[in-house]
């Protein structure tokens, strides 16, 4: 009897298993397995396997011994079936030739186990994995990835490890596929991580495909304003710009009862606290409607106002003129700029930036005695963060105490920020306006009026004037360039000043004060009608901040979305304006009420297109001397044209060309001017015999002002380019002693915004045409003609010709001069010949009708005047030079050039007769008869 056989063999091919019998030791794998010998009796003919779909067969190897083998019919696959069990039975060959009476053995059970090979790689169950985590937390497990292996054995089908392939990520994975973060995640740093993960089985086979893992970082629910852009670009000239178009408040589902928001636009670093028009302070007062009588004490240095030349400034033209006082500088205001005794009422206004100072007085403006007693008549100074006005009354009949010092204690004085101060003084009342707000003095001290004195006073800025004589102190000496002598300054100011003005005889009204302080940039809001009543809105005076209050978040957000930035200047100051949003909320439960952090950003005002101011017109012309001497004078800029243009790049699409090309175009724009200055080039004007004049009525009609000096004329005031053109057309130059004058040169420059934009230098040269007047008697024609006599002559416009050497051409003999001399000599000869013929006609018979008319004329050669225009020959330059060259060649052969004799006159007559047909018209142009006395 056969017992059960257990065979474990790696069936990778048709390997043979030999049946060795029930008591035989099993051979090692891959060795033949033989069945045991059955008996020495009849032979074994075969084996029969019982079972369904058994992939094995049994084959007899030796019939006599009964040795056989079990082999697989095909390749075995462990993954399809790890074990096979079936029964096997042997049978002999039977008896006789036909094999009858065949005997069978009993059935034996065979167990075959198929061993595994590591032929499969791990595969992830999912194509990709996703997870979402909240920032700021460390997780034990964010998500789990899982891979499987198709191998059948435990060794090769198990996943032994996982690995994150992506480098430098704050995540790790364990052997079970759990992913966790190694550090706290930050939403602002990274909003999503993408990881590549792989796996390995225990046979070290790597996954056939790596898997992608996406981990989204969700910010923690923090109450804050969402949808706020930190950088907001503003293009000049585009009107208002919405600051928070998509802004909304995240409250983390916390119920809120009320909300208050403060929005601050920081503009302290722009100009004097914000973007304002940078015209001169005097021009700004006019624009704001202030009446006449305003005197500017800190003007931009110019030829007519040069007392501020030595002061340090901001050295920029984007903002207006700012002067720096560091405790060592002070200036004297020239006499006559401000009246010695101010008429009451009067106004003092100034822009000031001042930080915490020492205990000493720091003087802004001071009017004190020039010598001896050094009394302070009036002054404005800072002391211990207080603003003090000293106003001593002039001598009067009564010697009673009167208010003399007015004190204001203000935080603005020492906060290192720009503030606008206006003092309206109507004794004994003094009102102070700081940034448009009214302040009353907290202290007023009294003093006696000043004693009568004939000592003159000195007005100074930045310190108080004090004479040295009879005074010993340790104050610093002001340089002689500023003081003009030996003196001391005391109570120096440390800070910045601008726009210091005194207006005598009238107080400044509140409307003008507000206009002077109002910014050209600020916040604005257009409330929708449906939410206008739900939210309360308040602005500060210069609109640099606003406050919103309400209880409905939805309405509040709509109002926030309608808040905008506006800059009304045509050429705003470029740069950054910081923006801050501060929020305060109230909740039903105060203990758990949320806190909304501040939101910060900035508005970037882009650089405006800079205008190019161009002056053009006639830059070279000549006029007769008599025109310069007339009461009207000579107009310097008769055809002046002022044009301003900007250049910008535009994108141009070309047909049949997919690319977009950029090209530069020039565009004419209109804007105002605030100054045009005419300057003499060369020697200064001599007031005894020359001047620049303009119709003052036309100046005043256009709200402009004019100042003149020996170096030129300055026209100031904010007005259109067209009005400036009209005024400049009226400027005239007069000279009532032109004998030695041959030319004069002038330069014109115009500017906008207090010198921020300056035009080209337009230079004009005017030449004086001197005319010739012969002697009273004809015999005087034998001497050299005079070319510099004064005669009435029509103006000749020779613009475009080169008249730079007019003086030389009129005095020094040249080719043109010789031609003129010859022509004049010929004309004189003709006059003499005519006189002789007239005398002969009186003695003889009458000639024909035409000559008879000449005989009737009574010539008065004493009143005969010949006007010669030498420039007519100058216009025919080429022909004149050829004739002049011929005359010079004759001169080299021996002819005399200094005197014109009678023989030369005869010769000129002969030559004139030969060339009469060719030059007749030329002579007619050279000869002008003054028949006014005929």
């Amino acid at each position: 009897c056969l017992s059960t056989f257990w065979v474990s063999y790696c069936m990778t091919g048709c390997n043979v298993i030999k049946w060795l019998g029930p008591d035989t030791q099993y051979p090692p794998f891959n060795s033949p397995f033989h069945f045991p010998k059955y008996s020495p009796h009849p032979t074994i003919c075969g084996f029969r396997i019982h079972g369904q779909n058994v992939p094995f067969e049994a084959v007899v190897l030796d019939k006599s011994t009964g040795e056989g083998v079990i082999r697989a019919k095909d390749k075995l696959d462990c993954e399809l079936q790890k074990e096979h069990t079936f029964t096997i039975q042997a049978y002999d060959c039977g008896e006789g030739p036909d094999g009858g009476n065949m005997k069978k053995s009993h059935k034996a059970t065979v167990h075959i186990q198929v061993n595994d090979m590591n032929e499969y790689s791990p595969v992830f169950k999912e194509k990709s994995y996703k997870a979402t985590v909240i920032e700021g937390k460390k997780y034990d497990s964010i998500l789990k990835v899982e891979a499987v292996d198709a191998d059948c054995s435990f060794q090769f089908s198990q996943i032994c490890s996982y690995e994150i392939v992506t480098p430098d990520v704050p995540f790790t994975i364990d052997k079970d596929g759990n992913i966790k973060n190694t550090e706290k995640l930050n939403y602002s740093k990274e909003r999503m991580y993408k990881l590549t993960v792989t796996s390995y089985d225990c046979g070290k086979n790597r996954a056939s495909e790596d898997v992608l893992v996406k981990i989204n970082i969700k910010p923690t629910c923090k109450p804050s304003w969402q949808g706020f852009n930190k950088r907001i670009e503003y293009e000049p000239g585009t009107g208002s710009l919405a600051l928070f178009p998509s802004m909304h408040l995240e409250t983390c589902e916390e119920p809120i009862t009320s909300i208050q928001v403060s929005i601050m636009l920081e503009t302290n670093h722009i100009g004097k606290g914000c973007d304002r028009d940078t015209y001169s302070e005097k021009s700004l007062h006019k624009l704001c409607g202030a009446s006449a009588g305003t005197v500017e004490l800190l003007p931009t240095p110019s030829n007519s106002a040069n007392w501020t030349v030595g002061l340090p400034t901001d050295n920029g033209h984007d903002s207006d003129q700012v002067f720096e006082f560091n405790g060592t500088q002070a200036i004297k205001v020239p006499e006559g700029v401000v009246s010695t005794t101010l008429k009451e009422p009067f106004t003092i206004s100034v822009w000031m930036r001042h930080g915490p100072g020492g205990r000493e007085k720091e003087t802004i403006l001071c009017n004190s005695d020039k010598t001896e007693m050094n009394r302070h008549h009036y002054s404005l100074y800072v002391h211990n963060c207080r603003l003090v006005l000293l106003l001593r009354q002039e001598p009067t009949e009564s010697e009673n105490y009167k208010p003399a010092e007015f004190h204001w204690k203000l935080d603005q004085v020492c906060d290192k920020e720009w503030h606008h101060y206006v003092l309206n003084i109507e004794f004994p009342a003094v009102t102070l306006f700081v940034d448009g707000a009214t302040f009353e003095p907290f202290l007023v001290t009294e003093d006696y009026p000043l004693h009568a004195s004939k000592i003159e006073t000195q007005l100074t800025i930045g310190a108080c004037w004090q004479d040295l004589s009879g005074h010993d102190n340790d104050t610093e000496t002001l340089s002689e360039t500023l003081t003009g002598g030996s003196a001391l300054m005391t109570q120096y100011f440390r800070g910045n000043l601008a726009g210091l003005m005194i207006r005598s005889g009238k107080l400044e009204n509140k409307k003008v004060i507000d206009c002077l302080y109002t910014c050209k940039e600020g916040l604005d809001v257009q409330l929708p009608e449906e939410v206008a009543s739900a939210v309360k809105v308040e602005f500060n005076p210069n609109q640099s901040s606003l406050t919103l209050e309400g209880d409905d978040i939805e309405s509040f957000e709509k109002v926030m979305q309608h808040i905008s930035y506006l800059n009304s200047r045509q050429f705003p100051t470029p740069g950054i304006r910081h923006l801050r949003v501060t929020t305060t909320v109230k909740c039903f439960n105060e203990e758990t009420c949320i806190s909304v952090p501040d939101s910060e950003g900035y508005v970037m005002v882009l650089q405006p297109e800079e205008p190019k101011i161009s002056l053009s017109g006639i830059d070279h012309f000549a006029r007769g001397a008599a025109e310069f001497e007339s009461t009207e004078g000579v107009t310097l800029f008769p055809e002046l044209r002022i044009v301003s243009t900007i250049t910008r790049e535009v994108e141009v699409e070309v047909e049949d060309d997919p690319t977009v090309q950029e090209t530069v175009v020039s565009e004419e724009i209109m804007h105002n001017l605030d100054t045009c200055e005419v300057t003499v080039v060369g020697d200064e004007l001599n007031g005894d015999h020359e001047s620049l004049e303009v119709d003052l009525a036309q100046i005043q009609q256009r709200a402009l002002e004019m100042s003149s000096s020996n170096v030129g004329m300055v026209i100031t005031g904010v007005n259109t380019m067209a009005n400036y053109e009209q005024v400049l057309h009226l400027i005239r130059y007069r000279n009532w002693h032109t004998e030695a004058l041959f030319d004069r040169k002038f330069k014109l420059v115009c500017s906008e915004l207090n010198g921020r934009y300056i035009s080209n230098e337009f230079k004009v040269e005017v030449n004086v045409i001197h005319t010739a007047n012969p002697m009273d008697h004809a015999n005087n024609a034998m001497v050299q003609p005079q070319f510099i006599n004064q005669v009435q002559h029509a103006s000749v416009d020779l613009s475009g010709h080169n008249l730079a050497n007019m003086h030389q051409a009129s005095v020094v003999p040249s080719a043109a001069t010789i031609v003129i001399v010859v022509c004049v000599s010929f004309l004189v000869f003709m006059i003499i010949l005519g006189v002789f013929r007239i005398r002969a006609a009186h003695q003889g018979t009458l000639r024909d009708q035409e000559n008879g008319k000449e005989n009737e004329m009574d010539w008065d050669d004493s009143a005969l005047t010949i006007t010669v225009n030498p420039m007519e020959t100058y216009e025919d330059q080429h022909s004149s030079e050829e004739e002049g060259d011929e005359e010079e060649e004759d001169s080299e052969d021996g002819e005399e050039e200094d005197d014109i004799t009678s023989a030369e006159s005869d010769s000129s007559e002969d030559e004139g007769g030969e060339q009469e047909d060719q030059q007749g018209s030329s002579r007619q142009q050279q000869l002008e008869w003054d028949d006014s006395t005929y």
Side-chain angles (χ1 to χ4, degrees), residues 779-787 813 817-818 821-822 824-826 887 891 894-908:
N779 292 333
N780 291 332
M782 309 305 292
V783 299
Q784 180 175 348
Q786 303 295 319
F787 296 103
T817 305
I818 295 174
V821 171
V822 173
V824 173
S825 301
F826 172 73
E887 292 295 328
S891 174
E895 291 185 6
E896 296 181 358
E897 297 177 355
D898 296 335
D899 298 322
I900 302 177
T901 62
S902 300
E904 290 173 338
S905 299
D906 294 340
S907 174
S908 299

Side-chain angles (χ1 to χ4, degrees), residues 349-381:
S349 64
V350 64
W351 285 94
M352 180 177 70
R353 179 169 61 187
H354 181 266
R359 297 182 179 180
E360 298 180 356
K361 297 180 179 179
E362 299 180 42
T363 300
I364 300 170
L365 178 69
C366 181
N367 187 37
S368 59
D369 290 339
K370 273 190 176 181
T371 57
E372 300 181 8
M373 292 184 287
N374 297 320
R375 300 174 303 174
H376 294 181
H377 292 250
Y378 63 86
S379 67
L380 182 65
Y381 63 90

Side-chain angles (χ1 to χ4, degrees), residues 856-901:
E856 293 174 2
M857 299 173 65
D858 185 11
W859 292 86
D860 184 2
D861 56 351
S862 63
L864 183 62
T865 301
I866 301 174
T867 302
V868 179
N869 184 2
M871 302 311 299
E872 294 293 336
T873 306
Y874 176 81
E875 292 177 341
D876 300 329
Q877 182 176 1
H878 296 294
S879 60
S880 299
E881 289 178 355
E882 292 177 0
E883 293 177 4
D885 293 338
E886 293 176 2
E887 292 295 328
E888 289 178 359
E889 291 176 3
D890 295 338
S891 174
E892 291 175 0
D893 294 335
E895 291 185 6
E896 296 181 358
E897 297 177 355
D898 296 335
D899 298 322
I900 302 177
T901 62

Side-chain angles (χ1 to χ4, degrees), residues 548-616:
L548 308 177
E549 291 184 8
D551 53 11
D552 181 53
I553 294 180
E554 184 178 354
S555 299
F556 212 94
E557 290 177 348
K558 288 183 179 180
V559 174
M560 291 289 291
Q561 293 169 4
H562 284 78
I563 296 175
S564 60
Y565 169 80
L566 177 64
N567 195 317
S568 60
R569 293 190 65 192
Q570 187 176 9
F571 306 108
T573 303
I576 291 176
R577 278 77 164 163
H578 290 282
L579 196 63
R580 179 188 294 271
V581 179
T582 303
T583 307
T584 303
V585 298
K586 292 183 179 180
C587 309
F588 289 103
N589 187 352
E590 294 297 332
E591 295 181 358
T592 61
C593 193
I594 62 176
S595 176
V596 180
D598 293 350
S599 298
E600 296 184 358
Y602 61 91
V603 177
M604 171 59 75
V605 179
L606 303 179
Q607 179 75 37
E609 300 287 347
E610 295 193 0
K612 180 181 180 182
I613 307 173
S614 302
L615 309 179
S616 61

Side-chain angles (χ1 to χ4, degrees), residues 620-629 634 690 733-746 765-771 787-791 793 796 798 803-811 869-871:
H620 199 169
F621 59 89
R623 295 289 185 268
E627 194 170 344
F628 285 91
E629 297 176 356
V634 174
E690 61 180 341
Y733 170 66
R734 288 188 61 204
N735 191 315
W736 44 95
H737 291 297
T738 59
E739 291 84 357
L741 180 67
F742 296 96
D743 58 60
R744 247 322 190 177
K745 297 179 181 179
F746 300 90
E765 180 179 348
V766 293
N767 296 105
V768 183
I769 300 176
H770 296 282
T771 57
F787 296 103
I788 317 180
N789 291 336
Q790 299 182 17
V791 294
H793 193 283
V796 180
L798 296 178
L803 301 180
N805 297 324
M806 177 61 72
H807 183 192
Q808 181 179 356
S810 302
V811 179
N869 184 2
M871 302 311 299

